[in-house]
Structure formats: structure tokens, C-alpha cells
Amino acid sequence: MTPWGSISVMKAVLCVGCTEVDYVTTIENVDFQSDQSRTQNGMLQRSGRSSNVSTALRLLGANVELFGVLSRNPTYRMILDDLEVRGIDTSHCTFTDDSPPFSTIVQERWTRRCTVVYCDKPFPYVTAADFRQLDLDQYGWVNFEARSPRETCDMIRLILDHNNGRAERDRIVVSLQIFNAFSEVVDLIGMCDYVFVTKYIAESRGWQTPLAACEAINGLLRIPRDIAIRRPCIIVPWSSLGAGCMTTDGHYFLLPAHKPTKIIDRVGDSDCFTAAFIYAAFVRQKRLADAVDYANAVASFKLAYVGFDCLGQLRLDSSKLSAKLLAKMRPGTEMSSDDDDDEDSDDQENSCRKHLLRPFEFLEPDEAVEAGSVATVELQADEAPVERPSSS
């Protein structure tokens, strides 16, 4: 947890999905044609989309519960120990004797390029019957992995039934991470409040820009926009471009990437993005574009450190640019007429442009007690978090 804030007193964030294991190996150069390769380092770590998101959220300062199937296999006791040490609630998880899915990640020492070999072995997944046993009044946000479409659909329906007739502040927010098998889970999009789609998925569908991805996903929703119903916000992280997002009203924003001071570990950066967005939007009550900008910055910061523990010492010193002012400075964005009337002064716009070019400052984790120890992260980067094509 960051020392500049306390654990949130808001309702918990529930992360629904798998917990897996990564075997991470660092070598000089990846050459799969060679009979032998020498490794510089190797480690075993807990992973999985929901597992990573819950870790990052807890470090940022949110109350988190992980809901999934965990293994009793003694070989993987480190998973349970790590969850317990981090204070992530697993009281409603179910257990199996099967060993969890795993990935072998080969990372080049200098380029930090990752090659992921994923073992997609059968493993039990939580069911709607398990989900029905939860007291939904305890949660303010539920994040789902795009797995097991039938069970996930039934779980989301239970949340929608819970929200029915409640005031906006008492409703549970639903988000969905789509990282694989898009066509199998496309019907879940319209049931959610926020949908995260990776660059890998977008490019595999032929969407070559975040704007194209947002527009295509928006076009897949069955009910037209002129019918006044709730529609999801679409968020597409896009490597060096930053991240595109589309509001429920169809307005599009492109938030620029933040260049990391160095790239040490690319593993889990997209999950860090998701966690940072949820933290900003739910705990800090930021608007959509501001939350995406915060997620860009936090994911970029994570790249300079191995694992997620660096988030416990994260401090953002710079204020974030408001969504509507940023939209006015980005070409190709849409704005409502009300927003256009808010900031007409050239002086104000020039001031905001100047503010945008200010660097973001992060406190280095190993120098947290030193007041002047900060690393500068510049805007408009050529390098940014990469997306992992696997589901680990």
C-alpha cells in the first residue's frame, strides 16, 4: 500500500478469475534453434489476470477480494502464502487438488522482449452457484476475466438483479477484461459498465488503431445508441500510443503514453493498467479520461521494476489534466457542445498545454524516505507497456 494514502474505507473490489503460476527465465538472447542456452536469472511467481489485478489494487490502497478456484497442491503453497501476506481476501474461494495453469516466460536480458509459452490445461472455474453465495452488499466493483462465458454471464446477471431499483451510488460497477477468444465473449460487453480490450485482440480483429477498435466494439452492441439505456465505456490500451477510450455517450479520447525511465520487467503491465484504472475510477472517483491517464502513468512506472511491489511506494506529484481539456488538444476526438462552451479562452488553453508538458514525478521505492529522490517520466513516449497475447 502506498504510504501517501490509507487503505480505502469504501466497499471492496471483487476480482473474479484464475490464479496461475509463471516460471520467468531471463537469458542473454532468445534462440530456440540452439540446443543449449544460459540463463541469468529465474523465478517462480503467482500470476493470472485477476490475481495480478488484485495484487496491484491492494498495493495502491484498495480493499480487495479474490474470487476463484485455488489449488491445495503443496507444491503451490506459495500462492496461498503470498495472497495471505498481501492481505487479499480469499475467504470465498473454492479449492481443488489439481495444479494451477502455468506459463513459461522467456525474457531477453537487454531488450526485455518476452516470449510466453502458455499451458492451457483444464482447470476448474468458479460457477454462478458459487457466486450466488456471496453477499453482494459488500462490494462496490466487480472485475471479471473474459472466461467461461455461460458462467460469467450468469454471474453478471446476478449483479444486475442486485442493482435493479437501487440508487446509483449503491450499485455495483461491473468491468470485463477481454484478452482472448473475443468472439466467444462479445455478448458480455453490453452487460458491463467498463470493458478492457487488449491491443493484441484488436489487431487480431483487424482494428489497427484504438479509435478503430472502440468504434468497432461500439458497433457490435445490439441496441442502437439513440435508445436511452446504459452502455459500457470501452478502454483499449495501445502500447506507445497510450490508450483510447470511448464514453457511454460515444465520445472518444486518446490519452498519451508515459515513457518509463527504463524497462526492466514487462510481465503483468496490462493487469497493472486495469488495476490502476479501477483504483482511480472507483476509489478516487476520477472521470473516465483522467482514470485512463492515471492507468497509463502507473503501468509505465511498473515497467522499471520487477513485479508489483514498487506500486507500494508510488507517488504521483503532478495533477492530471481534465478529460475535456485533453480532448480539445487531441485531434480526432469528439466533444459535446456543453464541453465546448466550458473552456473558450485561449489563455486557459495555453495554460493547460503548458501544464500537459510538465513531467510526472515518481518517488523511487528504494529511496522513499528521501524527499528529493524522484524519477522523471516524460509524456508522449515512443515506448510503453506491451500486451501479452496469452491469458496468463
Side-chain angles (χ1 to χ4, degrees), residues 323-343:
K324 56 189 176 184
L325 289 178
L326 181 59
K328 293 183 69 173
M329 292 182 286
R330 301 296 298 180
T333 57
E334 297 181 59
M335 294 290 295
S336 67
S337 57
D338 291 338
D339 289 338
D340 287 336
D341 294 334
D342 286 341
E343 300 290 342

Side-chain angles (χ1 to χ4, degrees), residues 1-7 60-61 279 284:
M1 182 190 68
T2 172
W4 288 274
S6 59
I7 285 292
L60 289 171
Y279 175 78
R284 296 303 181 191

Side-chain angles (χ1 to χ4, degrees), residues 50-333:
S50 293
S51 182
N52 287 343
V53 171
S54 63
T55 298
L57 275 168
R58 186 60 176 172
L59 287 167
L60 289 171
N63 286 316
V64 184
E65 179 176 341
L66 178 64
F67 182 64
V69 179
L70 300 177
S71 175
R72 296 192 193 93
N73 191 320
T75 305
Y76 301 99
R77 178 67 199 181
M78 50 84 62
I79 292 177
L80 303 180
D81 292 341
D82 189 56
L83 289 167
E84 182 178 356
V85 167
R86 295 187 181 280
I88 299 172
D89 187 1
T90 59
S91 59
H92 295 103
C93 289
T94 58
F95 287 83
T96 178
D97 293 327
D98 297 342
S99 58
F102 65 90
S103 296
T104 300
I105 301 175
V106 182
Q107 183 172 246
E108 290 189 4
R109 181 181 180 186
W110 300 113
T111 66
R112 295 298 169 177
R113 178 188 175 190
C114 294
T115 301
V116 181
V117 182
Y118 182 64
C119 177
D120 195 12
K121 56 181 288 186
F123 190 76
Y125 194 70
V126 288
T127 66
D130 299 324
F131 192 83
R132 192 174 282 108
Q133 305 304 313
L134 301 177
D135 179 7
L136 294 181
D137 287 327
Q138 303 301 312
Y139 312 110
W141 190 300
V142 179
N143 182 66
F144 290 93
E145 294 182 27
R147 297 179 184 266
S148 186
R150 173 64 67 84
E151 295 295 340
T152 301
C153 178
D154 290 343
M155 285 187 273
I156 295 177
R157 287 188 183 279
L158 290 171
I159 296 176
L160 297 181
D161 290 342
H162 173 272
N163 288 344
N164 189 28
R166 293 175 181 262
E168 186 74 21
R169 65 180 181 275
D170 296 325
R171 294 178 181 176
I172 298 174
V173 179
V174 178
S175 59
L176 179 71
Q177 288 180 271
I178 302 179
F179 52 86
N180 207 350
F182 180 87
S183 59
E184 297 179 10
V185 298
V186 66
D187 291 333
L188 299 177
I189 294 177
M191 305 173 67
C192 303
D193 297 292
Y194 297 93
V195 176
F196 302 92
V197 179
T198 65
K199 179 184 177 184
Y200 168 77
I201 285 292
E203 291 183 329
S204 69
R205 303 282 298 184
W207 307 327
Q208 298 304 315
T209 65
L211 174 59
C214 287
E215 290 179 339
I217 295 170
N218 179 64
L220 292 173
L221 298 176
R222 296 180 178 180
I223 300 178
R225 191 172 294 282
D226 55 1
I227 298 179
I229 64 168
R230 192 180 189 91
R231 296 171 69 90
C233 296
I234 303 167
I235 303 166
V236 185
W238 202 275
S239 189
S240 60
L241 288 182
C245 57
M246 182 173 285
T247 69
T248 58
D249 298 325
H251 300 309
Y252 174 79
F253 302 95
L254 177 63
L255 284 303
H258 299 257
K259 184 177 181 179
T261 53
K262 54 186 175 180
I263 298 179
I264 299 297
D265 181 22
R266 295 178 181 268
V267 178
D269 55 308
S270 62
D271 299 325
C272 183
F273 176 95
T274 301
F277 176 86
I278 294 173
Y279 175 78
F282 178 57
V283 178
R284 296 303 181 191
Q285 298 291 296
K286 298 292 185 180
R287 291 172 297 182
L288 176 64
D290 292 329
V292 173
D293 191 30
Y294 178 84
N296 277 339
V298 173
S300 175
F301 177 78
K302 177 261 175 290
L303 290 175
Y305 304 94
V306 176
F308 295 99
D309 287 334
C310 62
L311 301 183
Q313 304 294 338
L314 174 64
R315 183 183 67 184
L316 287 179
D317 286 337
S318 180
S319 300
K320 293 294 180 290
L321 189 66
S322 70
K324 56 189 176 184
L325 289 178
L326 181 59
K328 293 183 69 173
M329 292 182 286
R330 301 296 298 180
T333 57

